[in-house]
Amino acid sequence: MSADSSDRTDFDNANRGLIGVLEPAVVRGADGRVVYDAAGFAEATTGDCPDTVNPSLWRQAQLTSVHGLFEVTAGIYQIRGYDLSNMTLVEGDTGVVVIDPLVSSECAAAGLSLYREHRGGRPVTAVIYTHSHVDHFGGVLGVVDADTTVPIVAPEPFLQHAVSENVYAGTAMLRRSMYHTGIVLPVGATGTLGAGLGPSTSTGTVGLIAPTLDVTHTGQEETLDGVRIVFQVTPGTEAPSEMNFWFPDHRALCLAENATHNLHNLLTLRGAQVRDARIWSRYLSEAIEMFAFDSDVAFASHHWPTWGTDKILMYLTEQRDLYGYLHDQTLRRLNQGYLGSEIAEDFPMPPALDAAWHARGYYGSVSHNVKAIYQRYLGWYDGNPAHLWQHPPEAAASRYVQALGGIEATVAKARKFADDGDLRFAAELAGHAVFAEPDHVGAKELLAQVFTTLGYGAECATWRNNYLVGADELGGQVHAAPINATGVAAALTVTQLFDSLAIRIDGPRAWALSASIRWHFTDLDETYRMELSNGVLIHFPTRRQDPADLVVTLTKRDLLGLLTGASADGVGLDGDTSVIGTVIELIDNPDPGFPIVTP
């Protein structure tokens, strides 16, 4: 059974409640640079599906390109189509509660301006982060000031997970997200059509304000500016820290990113912790039990709402079953001895789910989600000793090329597989050729052609983006990350700031060095001890006054200045001041443009 292409319900719902749009539908930064172009996505998806796009993905791209300010229900509004995510605004007694202020401050500010144009100049009286991914908090400084006193609400422990994904592994994730989102590709039939979850990510300024009100348990009820909200914490679902919540006075259910109009990722292609499909399904069951029967509309931080209690129940039941089925059937076959790749190769879905548009793999896919479930339970090693200590890509590639008779023979064999329609193996062989001889023009051109063809055929938007960005970079177009995340650091704790420093220490260079610093923060009344020992920068809070090579007395703001190279004026230094220079000299700057499709 396949989805009904004549069913226009999603198109009706995506356009329902439209109040107004940005004119022009382009968001610019303070320097005049375009950080988001909603009009480009809308124009690119007009008309019939071209032969360079999977028809199912074309339909999804048309839906996600719909943009504007929409009424969800009386008192609840959404900004959709001006970033990868949605921003929701709930009117209270004196102002408006903002839910998930997009990726960047420029887009969030433009969205809030559009809302105020039609609903009046209401102040922002609270901000809610549904979870710990950057597209749900990054634009916060576009709706409130950094020193705001309004409540910032998030599931506990939001900050821990926001930092671990967006700072600790931030450089690698940002680099891979350029492939994942296709943000560097032109918008159109031969480029990106969004990410399936929404149109592309904006490229503005990312910030973060630490939460001031934690949601710690399911059933917790808070009133924000007169708006009653009942929360359901859902850790381990789409994010390690996430929550759904219900507005009893509006009969409206916010599903964060736990139920959207596509199959989501269990392991996002940009990289992340593997998500728990079992608990994801279970929390959706709990949401049905707690809220669905008393809801007239369900909305999320991506895509369009679902109206009507019966339709909500069907939608959530199918989403629940989607993740439960993936989990249980993967485990069933895993325990029969099948590998993740083998299970993913032959994984028929239940006919009813296969026919549901919202269960299609536009952002995640059955293939890589099944492999993610396998990885969550059994890890990278498949149990075969032949795979226990394999060569890394360059070393393996040179041996494959040698075994196949040299570079020209390898490229010729790869081309033959491509001509015969086996693009998957053609990509594997051509990939070995490129890693063995990265300057071989024929190998790179062939691999780029194969990637392009695979991209054009992909139903999953993130697969399409990965293939097409890979093809682009094989042609020499390696792009710098266009997102400015400097506004995040101020929200980090001292421990998190020190962590971000420690993971950049060049361990081998530091093996023989030792140093100690005691940091006293006068504004926090906290003291930390830092030790450079065996190539690792250790740090921890302390109440002891053990001798140290250097004692630094400062504020947290001063620390931010030191880490960014600002003046140390006002910082108290007692002891060997060269210690700070020693640590700084050991910092290894990450490479935001490291190669992916070439060695």
Side-chain angles (χ1 to χ4, degrees), residues 191-505:
T192 185
L193 291 168
L197 191 64
S200 191
T201 301
S202 63
T203 58
T205 306
V206 174
L208 175 62
I209 300 176
T212 59
L213 174 58
D214 291 330
V215 176
T216 61
H217 62 278
T218 293
Q220 180 173 333
E221 183 169 345
E222 301 289 343
T223 300
L224 303 173
D225 191 17
V227 178
R228 290 198 300 142
I229 309 173
V230 180
F231 292 92
Q232 176 202 13
V233 294
T234 62
T237 52
E238 191 273 336
S241 176
E242 189 150 357
M243 61 186 182
N244 301 325
F245 41 94
W246 181 58
F247 298 89
D249 298 327
H250 297 78
R251 289 180 58 88
L253 172 58
C254 176
L255 291 160
E257 204 167 321
N258 289 320
T260 53
H261 289 274
N262 55 211
L263 170 59
H264 212 290
N265 285 302
L266 295 176
L267 178 55
T268 173
L269 301 182
R270 66 174 168 81
Q273 298 177 29
V274 179
R275 297 154 188 178
D276 187 345
R278 178 188 60 85
I279 203 67
W280 195 329
S281 176
R282 195 157 295 172
Y283 279 131
L284 287 176
S285 291
E286 185 178 62
I288 293 170
E289 176 70 17
M290 291 182 66
F291 307 127
F293 292 93
D294 298 310
S295 297
D296 296 324
V297 62
F299 64 91
S301 297
H302 295 275
H303 299 142
W304 48 95
T306 299
W307 285 271
T309 303
D310 290 345
K311 289 185 171 65
I312 292 169
L313 287 168
M314 178 180 290
Y315 168 60
L316 289 182
T317 297
E318 289 175 340
Q319 284 279 309
R320 175 201 69 189
D321 295 349
L322 178 62
Y323 298 104
Y325 187 85
L326 286 168
H327 175 272
D328 293 350
Q329 295 308 305
T330 300
L331 267 291
R332 179 178 68 85
R333 299 192 66 193
L334 173 157
N335 283 314
Q336 293 172 344
Y338 290 97
L339 305 180
S341 57
E342 293 171 327
I343 302 168
E345 192 69 14
D346 179 22
F347 198 95
M349 295 297 291
L353 296 182
D354 198 43
W357 285 113
H358 66 83
R360 306 294 298 182
Y362 301 119
Y363 189 52
S365 73
V366 170
S367 176
H368 74 255
N369 279 346
V370 165
K371 294 171 187 174
I373 295 168
Y374 183 96
Q375 178 179 323
R376 180 178 179 86
Y377 282 92
L378 294 183
W380 63 267
Y381 176 49
D382 64 9
N384 184 341
H387 303 149
L388 183 58
W389 191 30
Q390 294 175 286
H391 288 290
E394 287 181 74
S398 65
R399 287 160 173 80
Y400 274 106
V401 167
Q402 180 183 1
L404 289 167
I407 187 67
E408 300 302 335
T410 302
V411 173
K413 287 180 171 63
R415 184 172 289 108
K416 179 65 166 58
F417 278 101
D419 291 342
D420 290 344
D422 190 348
L423 296 174
R424 296 162 66 183
F425 196 64
E428 186 168 343
L429 286 185
H432 283 315
V434 168
F435 267 70
E437 292 198 24
D439 294 328
H440 194 283
V441 175
K444 290 200 290 187
E445 288 181 346
L446 175 61
L447 186 55
Q449 292 167 7
V450 171
F451 280 171
T452 299
T453 305
L454 286 167
Y456 288 168
E459 180 182 43
C460 182
T462 55
W463 283 38
R464 177 186 175 92
N465 291 335
N466 271 268
Y467 282 129
L468 295 186
V469 174
D472 202 32
E473 293 201 352
L474 285 164
Q477 299 297 316
V478 179
H479 304 273
I483 296 175
N484 177 5
T486 55
V488 173
L492 273 58
T493 65
V494 170
T495 293
Q496 290 167 335
L497 287 168
F498 284 157
D499 276 345
S500 65
L501 185 67
I503 62 177
R504 293 171 59 187
I505 294 295

Side-chain angles (χ1 to χ4, degrees), residues 20-27 67-69 82 107 110-111 113-114 117:
V21 299
L22 286 176
E23 296 286 359
V26 175
V27 180
H67 60 89
L69 169 68
Y82 297 124
C107 287
S113 177
L114 177 61
E117 177 186 337

